Amino acid sequence: KFKTPTIDSTVKWTLYNNFYETSKTFILKYGKGMHTIIPKRVLSCQEQIELRNLLNKEIVLNKNEEESGKGERLTPPPHTT
């Protein structure tokens, strides 16, 4: 569930097929090149731990990724300077 003063949205976990974490964000992947970004700055340390555990539990890797041998969590892209 995502809610702000102007947005009220519910998304099922089955939409997402992978996720990764950077030092500043959680990035949830769906579709081709589509992402939901959750900034860590809005979460306490405990909430980050809880979200990480929830993501590991709820986001099941896409079947195609498993079959192609890519059945692992994504790693963040390398930083460019």
Side-chain angles (χ1 to χ4, degrees):
K1 179 112 176 137
F2 177 76
K3 190 170 184 176
T4 71
T6 57
I7 297 171
D8 188 358
S9 175
T10 302
V11 178
K12 293 187 178 195
W13 285 112
T14 55
L15 172 71
Y16 299 105
N17 57 21
N18 214 331
F19 74 92
Y20 58 92
E21 182 178 351
T22 70
S23 62
K24 295 184 180 183
T25 60
F26 290 95
I27 302 173
L28 290 62
K29 179 186 170 203
Y30 63 97
K32 281 194 163 192
M34 304 295 290
H35 297 85
T36 298
I37 299 172
I38 303 170
K40 288 183 174 181
R41 64 181 161 72
V42 302
L43 303 169
S44 69
C45 288
Q46 183 60 38
E47 289 171 327
Q48 288 181 38
I49 291 167
E50 291 171 8
L51 178 58
R52 188 177 300 113
N53 291 337
L54 186 62
L55 293 174
N56 278 306
K57 176 184 173 195
E58 296 293 340
I59 297 182
V60 178
L61 292 173
N62 180 300
K63 186 174 181 1
N64 292 332
E65 291 181 28
E66 291 174 1
E67 290 173 356
S68 69
K70 297 179 184 175
E72 298 178 6
R73 295 286 177 216
L74 292 174
T75 55
H79 294 287
T80 56
T81 54

